[in-house]
Amino acid sequence: QVQLVESGGGLVQAGGSLRLSCTASGRTLSRYGMGWFRQAAGKEREFVAAITWTGDSTYCADSVKGRFTISRDNAKNTVYLQMNSLKSEDTAVYYCAATIQYASTDYREYPYWGQGTQVTVSS
């Protein structure tokens, strides 16, 4: 069983930056693909970024490509989402998720989830 805890969310002005962290409180993340998803109020869950367990491949949604970067530090059991050039459209609750041995853009393939952290971008 893996438990994930997100942190780093908050209120930021448009054009600013935030760095989200996701730390495992259970088993190691060494062999888990990791993903970031977000859900804005009244909208469906949306894929943001994913990274393989080796960290050699990353995937980003078109809406955040060039602005967001996903990375991981397996020694710290932590995955990061660096968010730059934030827009008001990025306002959402951000969730990290883990899946065994691969990464996916489909939230249904992730059995382990964090509680979410709120990101609010003011314009």
Short mmCIF file of all heavy atoms in Angstrom, two decimals, residues 46-95:
data_model
loop_
_atom_site.label_atom_id
_atom_site.label_comp_id
_atom_site.label_asym_id
_atom_site.label_seq_id
_atom_site.Cartn_x
_atom_site.Cartn_y
_atom_site.Cartn_z
N GLU A 46 -8.39 16.20 -14.88
CA GLU A 46 -7.60 16.44 -16.08
C GLU A 46 -6.16 16.01 -15.87
O GLU A 46 -5.55 16.32 -14.84
CB GLU A 46 -7.67 17.93 -16.44
CG GLU A 46 -6.82 18.35 -17.63
CD GLU A 46 -6.80 19.85 -17.82
OE1 GLU A 46 -7.12 20.58 -16.86
OE2 GLU A 46 -6.46 20.29 -18.92
N PHE A 47 -5.61 15.34 -16.85
CA PHE A 47 -4.21 14.96 -16.81
C PHE A 47 -3.32 16.18 -16.94
O PHE A 47 -3.59 17.08 -17.74
CB PHE A 47 -3.89 13.97 -17.94
CG PHE A 47 -2.43 13.74 -18.14
CD1 PHE A 47 -1.70 12.96 -17.26
CD2 PHE A 47 -1.76 14.31 -19.21
CE1 PHE A 47 -0.35 12.75 -17.44
CE2 PHE A 47 -0.41 14.11 -19.41
CZ PHE A 47 0.29 13.32 -18.51
N VAL A 48 -2.24 16.21 -16.16
CA VAL A 48 -1.29 17.30 -16.21
C VAL A 48 0.07 16.82 -16.70
O VAL A 48 0.61 17.31 -17.68
CB VAL A 48 -1.14 17.99 -14.84
CG1 VAL A 48 -0.08 19.08 -14.90
CG2 VAL A 48 -2.48 18.57 -14.39
N ALA A 49 0.65 15.84 -15.99
CA ALA A 49 1.98 15.36 -16.33
C ALA A 49 2.20 13.99 -15.72
O ALA A 49 1.55 13.63 -14.74
CB ALA A 49 3.06 16.33 -15.84
N ALA A 50 3.12 13.22 -16.30
CA ALA A 50 3.46 11.90 -15.78
C ALA A 50 4.93 11.63 -16.01
O ALA A 50 5.56 12.22 -16.90
CB ALA A 50 2.60 10.82 -16.44
N ILE A 51 5.48 10.72 -15.22
CA ILE A 51 6.89 10.37 -15.31
C ILE A 51 7.04 8.89 -15.01
O ILE A 51 6.39 8.34 -14.12
CB ILE A 51 7.73 11.24 -14.36
CG1 ILE A 51 9.23 10.99 -14.56
CG2 ILE A 51 7.33 11.01 -12.90
CD1 ILE A 51 10.10 12.01 -13.84
N THR A 52 7.92 8.21 -15.76
CA THR A 52 8.17 6.80 -15.54
C THR A 52 8.95 6.60 -14.25
O THR A 52 9.54 7.53 -13.71
CB THR A 52 8.93 6.19 -16.71
OG1 THR A 52 10.17 6.90 -16.90
CG2 THR A 52 8.11 6.27 -17.99
N TRP A 53 9.00 5.36 -13.78
CA TRP A 53 9.66 5.09 -12.50
C TRP A 53 11.16 5.33 -12.58
O TRP A 53 11.78 5.64 -11.56
CB TRP A 53 9.36 3.68 -12.02
CG TRP A 53 10.03 2.58 -12.78
CD1 TRP A 53 9.56 1.92 -13.88
CD2 TRP A 53 11.29 1.97 -12.47
NE1 TRP A 53 10.44 0.96 -14.29
CE2 TRP A 53 11.52 0.96 -13.44
CE3 TRP A 53 12.25 2.18 -11.48
CZ2 TRP A 53 12.67 0.18 -13.43
CZ3 TRP A 53 13.40 1.40 -11.48
CH2 TRP A 53 13.60 0.41 -12.45
N THR A 54 11.74 5.20 -13.77
CA THR A 54 13.16 5.49 -13.93
C THR A 54 13.43 6.98 -14.08
O THR A 54 14.58 7.41 -13.96
CB THR A 54 13.73 4.77 -15.15
OG1 THR A 54 13.04 5.20 -16.33
CG2 THR A 54 13.57 3.26 -15.00
N GLY A 55 12.40 7.74 -14.38
CA GLY A 55 12.56 9.17 -14.61
C GLY A 55 13.09 9.53 -15.98
O GLY A 55 13.37 10.71 -16.24
N ASP A 56 13.23 8.54 -16.87
CA ASP A 56 13.82 8.80 -18.18
C ASP A 56 12.82 9.32 -19.20
O ASP A 56 13.22 9.82 -20.25
CB ASP A 56 14.51 7.55 -18.72
CG ASP A 56 13.57 6.38 -18.89
OD1 ASP A 56 12.50 6.37 -18.25
OD2 ASP A 56 13.90 5.46 -19.65
N SER A 57 11.52 9.19 -18.92
CA SER A 57 10.50 9.66 -19.83
C SER A 57 9.45 10.45 -19.07
O SER A 57 9.01 10.04 -18.00
CB SER A 57 9.83 8.50 -20.57
OG SER A 57 10.75 7.81 -21.39
N THR A 58 9.07 11.58 -19.63
CA THR A 58 8.03 12.41 -19.05
C THR A 58 6.98 12.74 -20.09
O THR A 58 7.25 12.74 -21.30
CB THR A 58 8.59 13.70 -18.46
OG1 THR A 58 9.23 14.46 -19.50
CG2 THR A 58 9.61 13.40 -17.37
N TYR A 59 5.79 13.05 -19.63
CA TYR A 59 4.68 13.37 -20.50
C TYR A 59 3.94 14.55 -19.90
O TYR A 59 3.70 14.60 -18.69
CB TYR A 59 3.73 12.18 -20.64
CG TYR A 59 4.45 10.88 -20.92
CD1 TYR A 59 4.86 10.06 -19.87
CD2 TYR A 59 4.71 10.48 -22.22
CE1 TYR A 59 5.53 8.87 -20.12
CE2 TYR A 59 5.38 9.29 -22.48
CZ TYR A 59 5.78 8.49 -21.43
OH TYR A 59 6.45 7.32 -21.68
N CYS A 60 3.56 15.48 -20.74
CA CYS A 60 2.84 16.67 -20.28
C CYS A 60 1.63 16.93 -21.17
O CYS A 60 1.68 16.72 -22.38
CB CYS A 60 3.74 17.90 -20.30
SG CYS A 60 5.02 17.92 -19.04
N ALA A 61 0.57 17.40 -20.55
CA ALA A 61 -0.59 17.83 -21.31
C ALA A 61 -0.25 19.05 -22.15
O ALA A 61 0.60 19.87 -21.77
CB ALA A 61 -1.75 18.14 -20.37
N ASP A 62 -0.90 19.18 -23.29
CA ASP A 62 -0.63 20.31 -24.17
C ASP A 62 -0.88 21.65 -23.47
O ASP A 62 -0.19 22.63 -23.74
CB ASP A 62 -1.50 20.23 -25.42
CG ASP A 62 -1.08 19.11 -26.35
OD1 ASP A 62 0.07 18.64 -26.24
OD2 ASP A 62 -1.89 18.71 -27.20
N SER A 63 -1.83 21.67 -22.56
CA SER A 63 -2.19 22.90 -21.89
C SER A 63 -1.09 23.43 -20.96
O SER A 63 -1.09 24.62 -20.63
CB SER A 63 -3.48 22.72 -21.09
OG SER A 63 -3.33 21.69 -20.12
N VAL A 64 -0.17 22.56 -20.56
CA VAL A 64 0.89 22.97 -19.64
C VAL A 64 2.28 22.79 -20.22
O VAL A 64 3.27 23.18 -19.58
CB VAL A 64 0.80 22.22 -18.30
CG1 VAL A 64 -0.58 22.38 -17.68
CG2 VAL A 64 1.13 20.73 -18.48
N LYS A 65 2.39 22.23 -21.40
CA LYS A 65 3.69 21.96 -22.01
C LYS A 65 4.47 23.26 -22.19
O LYS A 65 3.94 24.26 -22.66
CB LYS A 65 3.49 21.26 -23.35
CG LYS A 65 4.75 20.65 -23.93
CD LYS A 65 4.42 19.77 -25.13
CE LYS A 65 3.55 18.60 -24.73
NZ LYS A 65 3.24 17.69 -25.87
N GLY A 66 5.73 23.20 -21.79
CA GLY A 66 6.58 24.37 -21.85
C GLY A 66 6.52 25.23 -20.62
O GLY A 66 7.36 26.13 -20.45
N ARG A 67 5.56 24.99 -19.74
CA ARG A 67 5.42 25.76 -18.50
C ARG A 67 5.62 24.91 -17.26
O ARG A 67 6.17 25.39 -16.26
CB ARG A 67 4.04 26.42 -18.44
CG ARG A 67 3.76 27.38 -19.59
CD ARG A 67 2.46 28.14 -19.37
NE ARG A 67 1.30 27.24 -19.34
CZ ARG A 67 0.49 27.10 -18.29
NH1 ARG A 67 0.69 27.80 -17.20
NH2 ARG A 67 -0.55 26.27 -18.36
N PHE A 68 5.17 23.66 -17.31
CA PHE A 68 5.27 22.76 -16.16
C PHE A 68 6.33 21.71 -16.42
O PHE A 68 6.50 21.25 -17.56
CB PHE A 68 3.93 22.05 -15.89
CG PHE A 68 2.83 22.93 -15.40
CD1 PHE A 68 2.94 24.31 -15.38
CD2 PHE A 68 1.65 22.36 -14.94
CE1 PHE A 68 1.92 25.11 -14.92
CE2 PHE A 68 0.62 23.15 -14.48
CZ PHE A 68 0.74 24.52 -14.47
N THR A 69 7.00 21.28 -15.36
CA THR A 69 8.00 20.23 -15.45
C THR A 69 7.80 19.24 -14.31
O THR A 69 7.73 19.64 -13.15
CB THR A 69 9.43 20.79 -15.38
OG1 THR A 69 9.62 21.74 -16.44
CG2 THR A 69 10.45 19.67 -15.53
N ILE A 70 7.72 17.96 -14.65
CA ILE A 70 7.61 16.92 -13.64
C ILE A 70 8.97 16.28 -13.45
O ILE A 70 9.72 16.08 -14.42
CB ILE A 70 6.54 15.87 -14.03
CG1 ILE A 70 6.33 14.88 -12.88
CG2 ILE A 70 6.91 15.16 -15.32
CD1 ILE A 70 5.14 13.95 -13.11
N SER A 71 9.31 15.96 -12.22
CA SER A 71 10.57 15.30 -11.92
C SER A 71 10.38 14.45 -10.68
O SER A 71 9.36 14.55 -9.98
CB SER A 71 11.69 16.32 -11.71
OG SER A 71 11.41 17.17 -10.62
N ARG A 72 11.35 13.60 -10.39
CA ARG A 72 11.25 12.76 -9.21
C ARG A 72 12.61 12.53 -8.60
O ARG A 72 13.65 12.58 -9.28
CB ARG A 72 10.58 11.42 -9.56
CG ARG A 72 11.40 10.51 -10.48
CD ARG A 72 10.55 9.33 -10.95
NE ARG A 72 10.08 8.51 -9.84
CZ ARG A 72 9.08 7.63 -9.92
NH1 ARG A 72 8.43 7.47 -11.06
NH2 ARG A 72 8.73 6.93 -8.85
N ASP A 73 12.60 12.28 -7.32
CA ASP A 73 13.79 11.94 -6.56
C ASP A 73 13.43 10.69 -5.77
O ASP A 73 12.84 10.77 -4.69
CB ASP A 73 14.21 13.08 -5.64
CG ASP A 73 15.53 12.81 -4.95
OD1 ASP A 73 15.97 11.65 -4.88
OD2 ASP A 73 16.14 13.79 -4.46
N ASN A 74 13.77 9.54 -6.33
CA ASN A 74 13.38 8.28 -5.70
C ASN A 74 14.03 8.09 -4.33
O ASN A 74 13.45 7.43 -3.46
CB ASN A 74 13.73 7.11 -6.61
CG ASN A 74 12.84 7.04 -7.83
OD1 ASN A 74 11.77 7.65 -7.87
ND2 ASN A 74 13.27 6.30 -8.84
N ALA A 75 15.21 8.63 -4.15
CA ALA A 75 15.88 8.52 -2.85
C ALA A 75 15.08 9.21 -1.76
O ALA A 75 15.16 8.82 -0.59
CB ALA A 75 17.29 9.09 -2.92
N LYS A 76 14.33 10.24 -2.12
CA LYS A 76 13.50 10.97 -1.17
C LYS A 76 12.04 10.55 -1.25
O LYS A 76 11.21 11.13 -0.53
CB LYS A 76 13.60 12.48 -1.43
CG LYS A 76 14.99 13.05 -1.23
CD LYS A 76 14.99 14.56 -1.44
CE LYS A 76 16.38 15.14 -1.25
NZ LYS A 76 16.84 15.01 0.15
N ASN A 77 11.73 9.58 -2.10
CA ASN A 77 10.35 9.14 -2.29
C ASN A 77 9.43 10.31 -2.62
O ASN A 77 8.30 10.40 -2.11
CB ASN A 77 9.84 8.39 -1.06
CG ASN A 77 10.55 7.08 -0.83
OD1 ASN A 77 10.83 6.35 -1.78
ND2 ASN A 77 10.84 6.77 0.43
N THR A 78 9.91 11.19 -3.48
CA THR A 78 9.20 12.43 -3.75
C THR A 78 9.14 12.70 -5.25
O THR A 78 10.11 12.47 -5.98
CB THR A 78 9.89 13.62 -3.05
OG1 THR A 78 9.88 13.38 -1.63
CG2 THR A 78 9.15 14.91 -3.33
N VAL A 79 8.00 13.19 -5.69
CA VAL A 79 7.78 13.65 -7.05
C VAL A 79 7.43 15.13 -7.00
O VAL A 79 6.71 15.57 -6.10
CB VAL A 79 6.68 12.84 -7.75
CG1 VAL A 79 6.44 13.35 -9.17
CG2 VAL A 79 7.03 11.37 -7.77
N TYR A 80 7.92 15.89 -7.98
CA TYR A 80 7.72 17.32 -8.00
C TYR A 80 6.98 17.75 -9.26
O TYR A 80 7.06 17.10 -10.31
CB TYR A 80 9.06 18.06 -7.95
CG TYR A 80 9.93 17.69 -6.78
CD1 TYR A 80 10.94 16.74 -6.92
CD2 TYR A 80 9.74 18.27 -5.54
CE1 TYR A 80 11.74 16.40 -5.85
CE2 TYR A 80 10.53 17.93 -4.46
CZ TYR A 80 11.53 16.99 -4.62
OH TYR A 80 12.33 16.66 -3.55
N LEU A 81 6.28 18.85 -9.15
CA LEU A 81 5.71 19.51 -10.31
C LEU A 81 6.07 20.99 -10.22
O LEU A 81 5.53 21.72 -9.39
CB LEU A 81 4.20 19.35 -10.37
CG LEU A 81 3.53 19.94 -11.61
CD1 LEU A 81 3.93 19.16 -12.87
CD2 LEU A 81 2.01 19.95 -11.47
N GLN A 82 7.02 21.40 -11.05
CA GLN A 82 7.41 22.80 -11.11
C GLN A 82 6.48 23.51 -12.09
O GLN A 82 6.41 23.14 -13.26
CB GLN A 82 8.86 22.94 -11.57
CG GLN A 82 9.34 24.38 -11.71
CD GLN A 82 9.41 25.09 -10.38
OE1 GLN A 82 9.93 24.56 -9.41
NE2 GLN A 82 8.86 26.31 -10.33
N MET A 83 5.79 24.51 -11.62
CA MET A 83 4.81 25.23 -12.41
C MET A 83 5.26 26.67 -12.59
O MET A 83 5.37 27.42 -11.61
CB MET A 83 3.43 25.18 -11.76
CG MET A 83 2.94 23.77 -11.47
SD MET A 83 1.24 23.74 -10.83
CE MET A 83 1.48 24.57 -9.26
N ASN A 84 5.53 27.05 -13.82
CA ASN A 84 5.96 28.40 -14.15
C ASN A 84 4.94 29.06 -15.06
O ASN A 84 4.11 28.40 -15.68
CB ASN A 84 7.33 28.38 -14.84
CG ASN A 84 8.43 27.80 -13.98
OD1 ASN A 84 8.44 27.99 -12.77
ND2 ASN A 84 9.37 27.10 -14.61
N SER A 85 5.03 30.37 -15.16
CA SER A 85 4.13 31.15 -16.02
C SER A 85 2.67 30.77 -15.79
O SER A 85 1.91 30.52 -16.72
CB SER A 85 4.51 30.94 -17.49
OG SER A 85 5.85 31.33 -17.73
N LEU A 86 2.29 30.74 -14.54
CA LEU A 86 0.95 30.29 -14.19
C LEU A 86 -0.12 31.22 -14.73
O LEU A 86 0.05 32.44 -14.77
CB LEU A 86 0.82 30.16 -12.68
CG LEU A 86 1.49 28.91 -12.09
CD1 LEU A 86 1.71 29.06 -10.60
CD2 LEU A 86 0.63 27.68 -12.39
N LYS A 87 -1.22 30.62 -15.13
CA LYS A 87 -2.37 31.33 -15.65
C LYS A 87 -3.57 31.07 -14.76
O LYS A 87 -3.61 30.09 -14.01
CB LYS A 87 -2.69 30.86 -17.08
CG LYS A 87 -1.52 30.92 -18.05
CD LYS A 87 -1.91 30.29 -19.37
CE LYS A 87 -0.76 30.31 -20.36
NZ LYS A 87 -1.13 29.66 -21.64
N SER A 88 -4.57 31.93 -14.87
CA SER A 88 -5.77 31.74 -14.08
C SER A 88 -6.44 30.40 -14.41
O SER A 88 -7.07 29.80 -13.54
CB SER A 88 -6.76 32.88 -14.32
OG SER A 88 -7.13 32.97 -15.68
N GLU A 89 -6.28 29.93 -15.64
CA GLU A 89 -6.84 28.65 -16.04
C GLU A 89 -6.21 27.46 -15.33
O GLU A 89 -6.74 26.35 -15.38
CB GLU A 89 -6.70 28.45 -17.56
CG GLU A 89 -7.30 29.56 -18.39
CD GLU A 89 -6.26 30.60 -18.76
OE1 GLU A 89 -5.98 31.48 -17.93
OE2 GLU A 89 -5.74 30.52 -19.90
N ASP A 90 -5.07 27.68 -14.67
CA ASP A 90 -4.40 26.61 -13.93
C ASP A 90 -4.99 26.41 -12.54
O ASP A 90 -4.60 25.48 -11.84
CB ASP A 90 -2.91 26.89 -13.81
CG ASP A 90 -2.21 26.93 -15.16
OD1 ASP A 90 -2.51 26.07 -16.01
OD2 ASP A 90 -1.36 27.82 -15.35
N THR A 91 -5.90 27.26 -12.14
CA THR A 91 -6.52 27.15 -10.83
C THR A 91 -7.27 25.83 -10.72
O THR A 91 -8.15 25.53 -11.54
CB THR A 91 -7.47 28.32 -10.58
OG1 THR A 91 -6.72 29.54 -10.53
CG2 THR A 91 -8.22 28.15 -9.26
N ALA A 92 -6.93 25.04 -9.72
CA ALA A 92 -7.53 23.72 -9.54
C ALA A 92 -6.96 23.09 -8.28
O ALA A 92 -5.99 23.58 -7.70
CB ALA A 92 -7.26 22.82 -10.75
N VAL A 93 -7.55 21.98 -7.89
CA VAL A 93 -6.94 21.11 -6.90
C VAL A 93 -6.03 20.15 -7.66
O VAL A 93 -6.47 19.49 -8.60
CB VAL A 93 -7.98 20.33 -6.09
CG1 VAL A 93 -7.30 19.37 -5.12
CG2 VAL A 93 -8.88 21.29 -5.32
N TYR A 94 -4.78 20.07 -7.24
CA TYR A 94 -3.80 19.22 -7.90
C TYR A 94 -3.57 17.96 -7.08
O TYR A 94 -3.34 18.03 -5.87
CB TYR A 94 -2.49 19.98 -8.09
CG TYR A 94 -2.54 20.96 -9.23
CD1 TYR A 94 -3.28 22.13 -9.12
CD2 TYR A 94 -1.86 20.72 -10.42
CE1 TYR A 94 -3.35 23.03 -10.17
CE2 TYR A 94 -1.92 21.61 -11.47
CZ TYR A 94 -2.67 22.76 -11.34
OH TYR A 94 -2.73 23.65 -12.39
N TYR A 95 -3.62 16.82 -7.75
CA TYR A 95 -3.45 15.52 -7.13
C TYR A 95 -2.25 14.80 -7.73
O TYR A 95 -2.05 14.84 -8.94
CB TYR A 95 -4.68 14.64 -7.35
CG TYR A 95 -5.97 15.18 -6.79
CD1 TYR A 95 -6.79 16.00 -7.55
CD2 TYR A 95 -6.37 14.85 -5.50
CE1 TYR A 95 -7.98 16.50 -7.04
CE2 TYR A 95 -7.56 15.33 -4.99
CZ TYR A 95 -8.36 16.15 -5.76
OH TYR A 95 -9.55 16.63 -5.26
#
